[in-house]
Amino acid sequence: MKSYDNRIIGTWTVTDVDRFGLGGSITALPFTSGKFTFHKNGTLNYVNSSNLTFNGNWEIVKKVINDQTVRSLHITAIDFTNQQVLAEYYDDMQFTGTDRFRANIIKGLHTYVTHFRR
């Protein structure tokens, strides 16, 4: 397992979502609050603000774009009771401290930044 993958292992809370640019709405995003527990084997548990539990997978993909390393985070979570699927592709994720990271979604003229904290 890569070191970046090891850093995400554990429980993280979504603390904030910021929107920059023109258009778009944060309410359309699947993960604006709640807690994630990322497991070493690539699975996850997500509990949303309504206390519903979702189970799924995560993956960090490393790419080099214009001589710069970018890591994207892919999350899929399913509530098997209600058959609800939530998924997000974060274009870029960066650890901003031992207990913090942010993940960016770039859509057209706007960017969403989701903040996670242990």
Side-chain angles (χ1 to χ4, degrees), residues 27-103:
T27 59
L29 300 176
F31 305 114
T32 57
S33 63
K35 282 191 178 194
F36 287 91
T37 301
F38 296 95
H39 302 283
K40 219 174 201 173
N41 65 358
T43 64
L44 65 83
N45 306 99
Y46 168 67
V47 180
N48 70 9
S49 58
S50 300
N51 219 28
L52 294 175
T53 299
F54 294 73
N55 298 299
N57 305 352
W58 65 273
E59 178 183 25
I60 295 174
V61 177
K62 178 179 165 182
K63 302 178 213 169
V64 177
I65 301 172
N66 298 328
D67 295 330
Q68 185 177 11
T69 300
V70 176
R71 288 174 178 85
S72 59
L73 174 62
H74 308 235
I75 295 175
T76 303
I78 303 167
D79 172 2
F80 289 100
T81 304
N82 298 313
Q83 299 298 304
Q84 183 181 10
V85 178
L86 302 175
E88 191 59 79
Y89 175 93
Y90 293 96
D91 299 291
D92 182 30
M93 70 159 309
Q94 298 175 7
F95 285 95
T96 56
T98 305
D99 296 330
R100 293 186 301 266
F101 76 91
R102 68 176 181 241

